[in-house]
Amino acid sequence: MTPSAVQHVAITGFSWSTVGIALLNLLVGGALVAWIKQRPRMLELENSAEESLTTKLLARVQKLEEDKALQDARIEVERVRHESQMAIMRHRVNNADACLDALLMLLKTSPEKVAEAVIHIERMRERQNQEVALERGAQVGATIAAVSVPIPTP
C-alpha cells in the first residue's frame, strides 16, 4: 500500500442521516399521496354539507315568510276591527253630544216642556242604543267571518 494523502474508505452501509431523510421522504410522500387521494371525497363532503345547509336555510326562510304573511294578515284583521270599534265609539259619543245639546237647547228655550223633552230624549237614546247594538253585532259577525275564512298565503 502506498501512502497517499487521501485514503479511500469503503462504504459498507447507509449513514443515519441518509436513513432519516429516506424515512422523511416516505412519510411526506405517503401523506401527500393520501391527501391527493382523499381530496375529491373531502370536496364532495364539503359540497354536500353546503347543499344540506342551503336547503335547510331556504326551508326556514320560506317558513318565516309564510309566518310573516299570516301575521300580517292577522294584524290587518285586528286593524280593521279596531277601526270599526273606534267608529262605534265615535258614533256613541256623537249621539250623546246630540242628546245633551238637544236637552240644553230645550231647557234654554222652553223650560216648561222639560218633562216632554226628557221623554223625547229617552226615546232618542233608546233608538241610539239599539243602533249601537246593531253595529256591535255586525262587528262581531265580521270578526267571526274573518276568523273562519282561511287567510291566503303567497
Side-chain angles (χ1 to χ4, degrees):
M1 286 216 270
T2 61
S4 70
V6 178
Q7 289 186 346
H8 294 283
V9 177
I11 299 177
T12 58
F14 296 109
S15 68
W16 286 107
S17 61
T18 306
V19 171
I21 291 173
L23 285 175
L24 184 63
N25 281 337
L26 282 174
L27 287 174
V28 170
L32 186 61
V33 167
W35 183 79
I36 290 172
K37 284 184 177 180
Q38 292 299 320
R39 185 69 181 143
R41 178 70 179 140
M42 290 188 311
L43 287 175
E44 181 183 322
L45 288 173
E46 186 178 317
N47 289 339
S48 68
E50 286 177 5
E51 288 174 12
S52 173
L53 179 62
T54 302
T55 304
K56 288 178 184 176
L57 288 177
L58 286 175
R60 287 178 66 186
V61 167
Q62 183 178 7
K63 184 181 180 309
L64 287 173
E65 287 174 347
E66 290 171 359
D67 290 347
K68 176 149 182 6
L70 183 63
Q71 184 180 20
D72 288 345
R74 286 181 180 154
I75 288 172
E76 181 62 21
V77 167
E78 280 296 308
R79 186 189 63 76
V80 169
R81 189 175 68 83
H82 289 163
E83 283 180 4
S84 66
Q85 284 178 342
M86 290 300 293
I88 290 172
M89 287 192 276
R90 279 192 302 272
H91 191 213
R92 285 192 71 183
V93 169
N94 290 339
N95 287 343
D97 281 347
C99 288
L100 183 61
D101 290 342
L103 181 61
L104 289 173
M105 185 179 67
L106 282 173
L107 286 174
K108 285 180 184 178
T109 58
S110 52
E112 64 279 352
K113 294 184 180 180
V114 171
E116 292 176 28
V118 168
I119 293 172
H120 179 69
I121 290 174
E122 284 177 344
R123 286 186 197 144
M124 182 189 301
R125 294 283 296 151
E126 186 178 314
R127 190 178 68 248
Q128 290 170 350
N129 286 335
Q130 288 174 352
E131 289 173 1
V132 168
L134 287 174
E135 288 175 348
R136 283 190 178 151
Q139 181 188 26
V140 169
T143 302
I144 291 170
V147 170
S148 66
V149 173
I151 298 171
T153 56

